């Protein structure tokens, strides 16, 4: 009988330790990241190019604080007009570098046909900044 009670106590003790040690608490979870559209203030680049030639455009955009990081350029629409927007991410912890300066990224454009094209980036919630390029 003592052997049976001892085994039962050991099993209960073992299971108790197992449940306590398998805690699902994650003390090192990453803070969520906030993403946002950054408005473009300027597009600089060539006004002309050739068919199948890659052109580079410097896109200047403003951010809320100096901790912002570029994510990507994505397509967007304002009304029925299509264009692009710059997406940035902000860490959720407090940013100690509060004075933001305009940031830049590069947009690559290439056309397989001749014509006049407009490269449009979101300048505000209701308008685009536009760069025209003629492909010959």
């Amino acid at each position: 009988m003592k052997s049976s009670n001892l085994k039962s106590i050991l099993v209960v003790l073992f299971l108790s330790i197992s449940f306590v040690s398998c805690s699902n608490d994650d003390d090192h979870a990453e803070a969520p990241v906030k993403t946002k559209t950054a408005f473009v203030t300027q597009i600089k680049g060539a006004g002309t190019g050739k068919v199948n030639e890659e052109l580079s455009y410097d896109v200047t955009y403003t951010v809320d604080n100096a901790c912002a990081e570029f994510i990507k350029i994505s397509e967007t629409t304002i009304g029925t007009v299509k264009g692009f927007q710059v997406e940035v991410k902000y860490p959720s912890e407090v940013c100690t570098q509060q004075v933001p300066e305009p940031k830049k990224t590069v947009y690559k454009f290439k056309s397989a046909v001749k014509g006049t094209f407009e490269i449009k980036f979101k300048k505000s919630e209701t308008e685009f900044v536009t760069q025209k390029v003629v492909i010959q």
Side-chain angles (χ1 to χ4, degrees):
M1 178 103 158
K2 285 185 178 183
S3 169
S4 169
N5 282 341
L6 184 59
K7 285 182 183 178
S8 297
I9 292 172
L10 288 176
V11 168
V12 170
L13 183 62
F14 174 75
L15 291 174
S16 299
I17 291 172
S18 296
F19 286 127
V20 171
S21 66
C22 292
S23 174
N24 197 17
D25 295 340
D26 189 0
D27 295 336
H28 303 290
E30 289 187 30
V33 175
K34 178 183 172 186
T35 60
K36 190 175 176 183
T37 299
F39 295 128
V40 172
T41 58
Q42 187 177 51
I43 306 169
K44 281 187 179 180
T48 60
K50 296 183 179 183
V51 172
N52 291 324
E53 175 185 39
E54 187 173 82
L55 302 172
S56 294
Y57 292 89
D58 290 329
V59 178
T60 305
Y61 57 95
T62 57
V63 292
D64 293 344
N65 64 46
C67 295
E69 294 179 32
F70 174 81
I71 299 175
K72 65 181 178 179
I73 293 174
S74 62
E75 293 183 2
T76 189
T77 303
I78 297 177
T80 59
V81 181
K82 292 184 178 184
F84 300 100
Q85 65 185 6
V86 175
E87 294 182 33
V88 295
K89 66 180 177 180
Y90 295 93
S92 63
E93 56 271 348
V94 177
C95 180
T96 57
Q97 307 167 359
Q98 291 299 321
V99 181
E101 292 193 18
K103 296 191 175 229
K104 291 185 179 185
T105 189
V106 175
Y107 173 73
K108 305 276 187 179
F109 178 80
K110 185 177 183 180
S111 176
V113 295
K114 292 181 180 181
T116 301
F117 300 89
E118 289 185 340
I119 300 169
K120 297 178 181 184
F121 275 88
K122 200 169 186 180
K123 178 180 181 179
S124 70
E125 290 297 331
T126 59
E127 62 185 327
F128 289 107
V129 60
T130 304
Q131 168 74 42
K132 286 189 179 187
V133 60
V134 178
I135 302 297
Q136 304 170 350

